[in-house]
Amino acid sequence: MEKREKWGSRFGFIMAAVGSAVGLGNIWKFPYITGQAGGGAFILIYILLTVLVGFTIILGEIAIGRATRANAFAAFNGIKPGFGFIGILGIIASFVIVSFYSVIGGWILKYLSVYALGGSVKTDGFFTSFVSLPVEPVIWMLVFLAICTLILMRGISGGIEKVSSIMMPLLFILLAAIALRAVTLPGAGAGIEFYLKPDFSKITWDVVVSALGQVFFSLSLGMGTLITYGSYLDSRSDIVKDSVLITVLDTIVSVIAGFAVIPAVFAAGQTPDFGPSLLFVTLPHVFETIPFGHAVGAAFFLLVLFAAVTSAISLMQVVVSFFGETFRIKREAAVFIPFVCCAVIGSVASLSHGILGSISILGKNIFDFLSFFASDILLPIGGMLTCLFIAFVWTTDSACAEIKKGAKHGFKLAAFWSFLIKFVMPVIILIILLRVFGAV
Ligand code: TRP
C-alpha cells in the first residue's frame, strides 16, 4: 500500500489550515453580516463564540484526524465501526459547499481580470447582469475549479501546503495594506466608529444564531475538513498550540477584513447594509473614487481569490482522500470526482441567477438553497454529531489522551474542554438547529 502523505513542516500545516479557515466567510460574509448586525456588538459576540465553540471543535476534529490518520469516513469508522456515516455527511456537504463556492470563485476571477486589464465595473447593473449571463460565469467557475484541481493533483505537501505557504502570507500583507488605505480615506472615521462602537440594541436572538453559524463556517467546522487535514500530522505535533493559532489567525483576518471594507464603504458615501452584494457592488464604487483605485481593486480581488482557492481545496481534499483511499484510486484520478460533480452542480447554481431563476426550493433559488442547506443545516448537524461522537463514543478521556501527545505544555484545559464537548456544544448547536428549522 502507498505510504500516507504528511505535511512537510509545522508552518506548512498551519498555513494550510488557516488557508482552509480564511475564505469567503471572512472577507465576503463577515463584513456584510457585521454591517447588517450593527457593528461592534456583533464582533464581541462573534469573538466570544469563537473562543468557546470554535476552538473546542477545531481541537476535537484535529484530534480525530491525527488519532486515526484516515479520511473522514474511515476516521469515524476506525474509532468505532458503524459511525462512518458522520464522515459521509461531511463528504456530501463538502460537495455542496464547493459547488456554490466555486460560482463565487468565478465572479472573483472575472472582477480580478477586469481590474487587472484596467477596466471598470462601476455601472450599477454590472454585477446583476454579469451573474445572470448563461455562459460567461459558468466558464469562470470552471476555471476556478480547474485551478483547485491542478493544485490537488500535486498532493498534500507538494500541492496544498506549497500553495498555502505562498498565498496566505501574501494575503495577510495585501489585506493589511488595503485596510490601512481604507481607514485613512477621508470620511472613513464614521465607518470606524460604526464598526467598533457596540450597539447592543441590534442584538437579537437571530443575530446570535447567525454569529454562531458564522463561527462554524469561518473555522471550517463540522464536515471533516480539519479531520482530513489533521490526518496528515504525526503525533509529535502540538495540536493544542496549533488550534489556538488557527483560531486566532482566522479571527484576526475577519476583523481586519471588516476594517478594509466598512470604513471604505462609508468614505464612498455608501452604507454597509447591502448584504451579499457588498463586495461586488458597493466596494467597486469605492475603487472608482480613490486614487489608483484599479490597482487597489486588482490587489483586493487577488487576495480574495487566494482566500477562496485555499478554502475550496480543503473541501475538495475531503472528497479526494475519501475516494482515493476507499477505492484505492490514485490521487491524480481521484481529483476528477469532485471536479466533475462540482462542475455540474455549480453550473446549475450559477444558472439559477439567470435562466434557471424561476426554480425555487423553500422559497429560495438553487444557489441560495445550496448555501442555506449546507451552512445552516448540514454544518451544524455535522458539528453536533462530531461532538456527541467525541463525548460518548470515543470518550473525552481518549480524546484528551490523544490531544496531550506532543503538547509541550500539556493540556491544562482538559476538564473544561471535556465539559464543553459533552454538555455545552450539543445544547448550543441544538438551539441553532431549532432556530433554523423554526424559520423554514
Ligand atoms: N472556512 C471557509 C471560509 O471561511 C469555508 C470552508 C472551507 C468551510 N472548508 C470548510 C466551511 C468546511 C465549512 C466547513 O470561507
Side-chain angles (χ1 to χ4, degrees), residues 20-21 23-26 101 217-218 220-221 223 225 311 314-315 379:
S20 168
L24 297 172
N26 305 62
Y101 217 83
F217 191 81
S218 188
S220 304
L221 304 176
M223 47 183 64
T225 304
S311 294
S314 75
L315 286 157
L379 223 74

Side-chain angles (χ1 to χ4, degrees), residues 17-29 61 93-94 97 101 214-226 250 254 307-308 310-316 318 374-375 379:
V18 171
S20 168
V22 169
L24 297 172
N26 305 62
I27 296 169
W28 169 65
K29 256 187 164 172
E61 282 203 25
S94 299
I97 294 196
Y101 217 83
Q214 173 67 9
V215 169
F216 264 87
F217 191 81
S218 188
L219 291 172
S220 304
L221 304 176
M223 47 183 64
T225 304
L226 290 168
D250 183 69
S254 285
T310 50
S311 294
I313 56 179
S314 75
L315 286 157
M316 291 169 81
V318 175
S375 315
L379 223 74

Side-chain angles (χ1 to χ4, degrees), residues 407-426:
K408 285 169 206 67
H409 306 288
F411 183 32
K412 296 187 198 76
L413 291 173
F416 182 54
W417 180 83
S418 304
F419 172 74
L420 288 177
I421 285 271
K422 273 193 205 144
F423 304 111
V424 182
M425 295 306 137

